[in-house]
């Protein structure tokens, strides 16, 4: 997949990383670093300035006040400014600065899938598509964009939540987190949509809640917008 310029991560994803840093963790990076970076990017998007961060967010007891969330999402969604991403510093390793750093140290893993792997992944994809009930964030959470892993006896969610559920299930099956990337697309009928990319030795394939079929990314009829940089969590790039 051709990668373009660095861009900001979706607001809902950054909020998820603030609430649940383990979901966005990278090997060798402490959860506190993930939370700090996500928080910085989130508030930079809201106030259009990397250094603008209200005192309230610095206090852990204040950082997840649900009554603030709708206002923050609207503010961040309206910001068109691309934010540079500085990768978290691993112990004993100096990172280059700037947006290109995410791609200079590509850490993705390409899976060499056996027939058994393909069958297992196909079955998991179909089961989650069937078992998770489609429900909008507005109806479930009262906000326009809220990313969360579906849970409970009657899991429900929208496209991003299907993606998170599939990613979690595949990691629990033993597949490496760096083989998976979240991507945002536009459907042929003009709706924003999220899918899960899985990197294989034969190319990246798409796990999608709109179809039970797992297919190569370039065989879909989507318009590809942006994605996580391969092997990264908070680093996002445009596509093409």
């Amino acid at each position: 997949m051709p990668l373009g310029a660095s861009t900001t991560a979706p607001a809902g994803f950054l909020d998820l990383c603030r609430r649940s840093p383990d979901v966005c963790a990278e090997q060798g990076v402490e959860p506190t670093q993930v939370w700090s970076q996500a928080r910085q990017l989130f508030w930079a998007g809201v106030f259009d300035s990397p250094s603008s961060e209200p005192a309230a967010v610095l206090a852990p007891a204040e950082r997840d006040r649900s009554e603030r969330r709708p206002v923050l999402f609207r503010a961040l969604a309206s910001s068109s400014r691309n934010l540079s991403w500085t990768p978290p510093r691993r112990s004993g390793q100096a990172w280059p600065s700037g947006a290109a750093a995410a791609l200079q140290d590509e850490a993705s893993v390409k899976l060499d899938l056996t027939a058994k792997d393909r069958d297992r992944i196909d079955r998991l994809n179909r089961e989650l598509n069937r078992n998770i009930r489609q429900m909008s964030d507005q109806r479930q959470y009262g906000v326009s964009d809220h990313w969360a892993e579906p849970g409970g006896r009657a899991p429900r969610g929208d496209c991003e939540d299907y993606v998170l559920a599939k990613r979690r299930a595949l990691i629990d099956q033993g597949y490496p987190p760096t083989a998976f990337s979240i991507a945002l697309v536009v459907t042929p009928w003009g709706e924003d949509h999220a899918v899960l990319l899985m990197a294989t030795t034969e190319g990246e394939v798409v796990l999608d809640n709109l179809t039970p079929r797992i297919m190569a990314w370039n065989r879909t009829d989507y318009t590809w917008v942006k994605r996580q940089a391969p092997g990264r969590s908070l680093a996002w790039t445009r596509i093409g």
Side-chain angles (χ1 to χ4, degrees):
M1 179 180 292
L3 303 182
S6 173
T7 187
T8 182
F13 176 76
L14 290 175
D15 184 63
L16 170 69
C17 295
R18 292 170 58 242
R19 290 182 283 111
S20 304
D22 61 301
V23 176
C24 308
E26 295 182 19
Q27 186 176 4
V29 179
E30 293 294 329
T32 53
Q33 290 180 287
V34 175
W35 183 85
S36 177
Q37 186 71 46
R39 182 191 66 190
Q40 178 184 352
L41 291 172
F42 183 86
W43 286 106
V46 171
F47 293 102
D48 199 33
S49 171
S51 60
S52 296
E53 186 173 10
V57 79
L58 298 177
E62 295 289 326
R63 67 176 180 259
D64 292 325
R65 294 181 61 182
S66 59
E67 64 270 21
R68 291 172 178 257
R69 192 171 291 131
V71 176
L72 299 181
F73 279 136
R74 287 196 296 271
L76 188 49
S78 66
S79 173
S80 60
R81 179 174 177 268
N82 287 339
L83 306 173
S84 63
W85 177 86
T86 303
R89 182 188 180 95
R90 287 176 170 83
S91 177
Q93 183 175 14
W95 287 96
S97 61
L103 302 181
Q104 292 176 11
D105 187 73
E106 183 175 315
S108 63
V109 170
K110 295 177 177 62
L111 302 176
D112 188 6
L113 300 178
T114 64
K116 184 177 181 180
D117 288 319
R118 295 178 187 278
D119 181 67
R120 176 189 297 143
I121 294 168
D122 179 74
R123 185 168 59 252
L124 182 149
N125 185 62
R126 291 172 184 268
E127 286 178 355
L128 289 175
N129 282 354
R130 183 170 57 249
N131 294 338
I132 298 173
R133 178 185 174 189
Q134 176 73 31
M135 181 171 289
S136 70
D137 289 335
Q138 191 65 50
R139 181 177 177 185
Q140 186 168 194
Y141 301 107
V143 295
S144 60
D145 189 23
H146 182 80
W147 293 41
E149 294 181 358
R153 299 179 60 181
R156 58 194 67 186
D158 64 0
C159 55
E160 298 98 344
D161 305 329
Y162 282 90
V163 166
L164 294 171
K166 293 175 184 182
R167 181 180 181 276
R168 173 67 70 184
L170 288 165
I171 292 172
D172 288 346
Q173 288 283 328
Y175 296 102
T178 50
F180 306 105
S181 301
I182 302 170
L184 302 187
V185 302
V186 176
T187 67
W189 51 93
E191 290 185 358
D192 294 334
H193 184 51
V195 297
L196 182 65
L197 290 171
M198 179 173 63
T200 78
T201 54
E202 298 178 4
E204 289 186 293
V205 297
V206 179
L207 281 70
D208 191 348
N209 68 294
L210 297 183
T211 175
R213 296 178 57 200
I214 297 176
M215 65 183 75
W217 73 272
N218 54 1
R219 298 294 298 273
T220 69
D221 53 3
Y222 292 142
T223 299
W224 294 82
V225 180
K226 62 181 177 180
R227 59 167 292 173
Q228 288 175 312
R232 297 298 180 205
S233 180
L234 294 175
W236 285 66
T237 70
R238 298 190 184 281
I239 298 173

